[in-house]
Amino acid sequence: MTDRPGLFDPVLARGAARAAVADDAWVAALLEVEAALAAAAADVGALDPEDADAIAEACRRPVDATVLGEQAAASGNPVVPLVAHLRRALSGGAASGVHRGATSQDVMDTAAMLVARAAVGVITADLRAAAGAAADLAAAHRDRPAAGRTLLQQAAPITVGLRAAGWCSGLDAAADALAAWRPAVQLGGAVGTLAAFDGHGRAVRATLARRLDLVDPPLAWHTERGRIAELAGLLGRAGAAVGSVATDLVLLAQTEVGEVREDVPGRGGSSTLPHKRNPVAAVSARAAAVAAPGLVASVLTAASLHEHERAAGPWHAEWRPLTELLRTVGSGAAWLADATTHLAVDPDRVAASLDVTGGLLLAEQATTGLRERLGHVAAKDLVTTAASTAQDEHRPFADVLAEALAGLPDTQKPADPAAEARALLDPARAVGEAAALVDDLLRSRETQHPDEHADRGARPRNTEENP
């Protein structure tokens, strides 16, 4: 059986993470754990190898996730009916060897680690793709001045490249953190003592961990949910990184700004407005980022309420929000990779945004440029007065500043006040070390992710001509 996408999935569950956490993927992970558990027992001499092989063969047969879910209601988890199903399909030592020594939570938690590992892998890949596209943008627009904004107001010039480098840095950091997460096997038996393994418990656990390529922890973590909480936190961080970039893209794509657009023909239309070109990928990525924190909170709340040796309810409460968190963050990462890969920068609109204040954006730069001529206090007073006049009279700041310079004493007045004003308000002179910062980021990426850099090296970079 293949999980059928729901009505909202193409928008809110985009990308490979959806399949990685689908019901069929969960069932496949449960079967993989049961087969590996039997094989591990055989490896240490606690089960006949032929019985382990028979169990593995039974685990390769498909199990209907819907039926299994319906049967789970009688016991509170899907492992109990799954084990019953496997035992009915076998006989003798093989039937009795299924699930031997384990408890339902052992299998469910270990399967959760397998499902999460697969989903984290695709999420990380999409974050890397988005970061790589942002790096391309940073390189292509390394020196292009742009309006920097703080508190949603124009503040001082930066470059398009530096902004994109910031996107890249945050996405890379989130991907690095997720890639460093290490899932662990769960095996402790009913209360964590491994009592039902007849002295083979630690050996079975170590072998099971090796077979599944999971960490072998010293103790069961039935109620110590640090691993689950850590994963939720890392996914929340990834969602935040996605949301920050997506928010920038949505704001920069506004009609009144128009500095970027998603260059995907046929996408972004409205049901009523023929002229609309909505940034669908950025909007959908942002939607995922908005949903993620609530899911993180649900997982962390459940993690804090596990009691004694096995929890009554909090363990069960993790399944759905953790699955949805993986799916949601995966969707956001996939959409953002789409958005950044197809992002086109409009250089004319970038320049227009720089000029929207008539040069006020560069008031600080003008003060700095006049310090040597006038001294700090006099320079600041002159520029502040000129800026106020420009705002009050709705005149270009460059014109007012030129008039102020022309009114200086002859010993301080420049030969060409208008030219001096234009030079003081040249945005290319006001971006500080932006170009060097972009270069530092790109060199760092080449060192930390050489394989990805080599893969991307042959492809054209994102530019306004070749988005």
Side-chain angles (χ1 to χ4, degrees):
M1 174 183 173
T2 301
D3 286 305
R4 181 179 179 182
L7 175 63
F8 304 117
D9 284 353
V11 175
L12 300 179
R14 181 184 174 92
R18 181 175 73 192
V21 301
D23 290 350
D24 287 351
W26 269 99
V27 174
L30 292 169
L31 289 166
E32 183 179 358
V33 175
E34 290 290 359
L37 179 62
D43 288 344
V44 302
L47 183 66
D48 189 294
E50 292 184 359
D51 291 336
D53 290 342
I55 293 171
E57 177 60 31
C59 288
R60 284 191 283 269
R61 299 168 192 154
V63 175
D64 190 308
T66 300
V67 173
L68 191 65
E70 292 171 351
Q71 295 172 341
S75 56
N77 74 77
V79 177
V80 174
L82 178 66
V83 170
H85 167 81
L86 292 173
R87 285 175 176 163
R88 286 194 300 270
L90 297 165
S91 61
S96 64
V98 173
H99 196 67
R100 181 178 295 172
T103 193
S104 295
Q105 189 172 351
D106 290 332
V107 175
M108 195 71 181
D109 280 350
T110 303
M113 294 292 97
L114 299 182
V115 168
R117 180 171 64 190
V120 164
V122 298
I123 292 169
T124 302
D126 282 334
L127 291 172
R128 295 276 190 231
D136 288 350
L137 286 162
H141 300 280
R142 171 184 181 271
D143 302 308
R144 186 181 300 284
R149 299 172 175 90
T150 61
L151 307 183
L152 287 177
Q153 304 295 309
Q154 288 200 1
I158 60 167
T159 65
V160 173
L162 184 61
R163 178 179 285 134
W167 299 339
C168 174
S169 179
L171 293 167
D172 269 339
D176 288 343
L178 268 179
W181 176 69
R182 293 292 177 265
V185 76
Q186 175 75 284
L187 193 65
V191 290
T193 64
L194 298 168
F197 286 94
D198 296 327
H200 296 287
R202 285 175 297 165
V204 171
R205 187 190 65 209
T207 305
L208 178 62
R210 177 181 57 78
R211 281 183 165 273
L212 296 175
D213 193 24
L214 297 173
V215 172
D216 177 20
L219 298 173
W221 42 279
H222 290 143
T223 56
E224 194 289 289
R225 308 305 282 178
R227 288 176 179 83
I228 301 294
E230 179 188 19
L231 175 59
L234 292 171
L235 290 167
R237 175 180 181 175
V242 166
S244 178
V245 178
T247 297
D248 274 0
L249 298 184
V250 169
L251 292 174
L252 291 170
Q254 290 179 103
T255 304
E256 295 82 355
V257 181
E259 294 183 25
V260 303
R261 70 180 187 278
E262 292 176 9
D263 194 15
V264 182
R267 192 167 76 187
S270 164
S271 62
T272 58
L273 301 172
H275 66 284
K276 293 292 290 296
R277 290 186 63 180
N278 297 312
V280 170
V283 167
S284 300
R286 195 177 188 214
V290 169
L295 296 166
V296 173
S298 293
V299 175
L300 294 181
T301 299
S304 70
L305 296 176
H306 284 247
E307 76 284 350
H308 301 311
E309 282 64 54
R310 299 271 307 289
W315 167 53
H316 310 71
E318 293 173 356
W319 305 339
R320 179 169 286 173
L322 180 61
T323 300
E324 188 59 32
L325 179 58
L326 289 161
R327 179 166 38 233
T328 297
V329 175
S331 182
W335 274 118
L336 191 65
D338 182 306
T340 51
T341 300
H342 295 100
L343 198 69
V345 174
D346 187 328
D348 292 336
R349 297 300 293 270
V350 172
S353 291
L354 267 173
D355 196 43
V356 75
T357 63
L360 287 171
L361 183 70
L362 291 138
E364 181 184 34
Q365 170 73 8
T367 301
T368 302
L370 289 170
R371 280 177 186 166
E372 185 175 349
R373 182 190 299 272
L374 304 179
H376 175 71
V377 174
K380 186 174 187 299
D381 288 345
L382 183 147
V383 173
T384 300
T385 300
S388 296
T389 300
Q391 290 173 305
D392 293 342
E393 298 180 2
H394 304 289
R395 296 172 58 201
F397 180 48
D399 293 348
V400 177
L401 182 61
E403 293 172 1
L405 293 173
L408 289 171
D410 289 343
T411 55
Q412 295 177 320
K413 181 168 59 177
D416 186 342
E420 178 74 4
R422 287 194 299 271
L424 288 169
L425 301 181
D426 179 2
R429 298 172 55 184
V431 295
E433 300 177 46
L437 291 168
V438 170
D439 292 342
D440 288 346
L441 183 279
L442 296 177
R443 278 194 296 269
S444 175
R445 290 197 88 243
E446 290 178 20
T447 300
Q448 295 176 18
H449 309 290
D451 294 340
E452 179 193 341
H453 178 75
D455 290 343
R456 296 184 66 82
R459 298 205 290 274
R461 293 193 181 277
N462 252 330
T463 68
E464 65 274 14
E465 295 81 17
N466 185 22

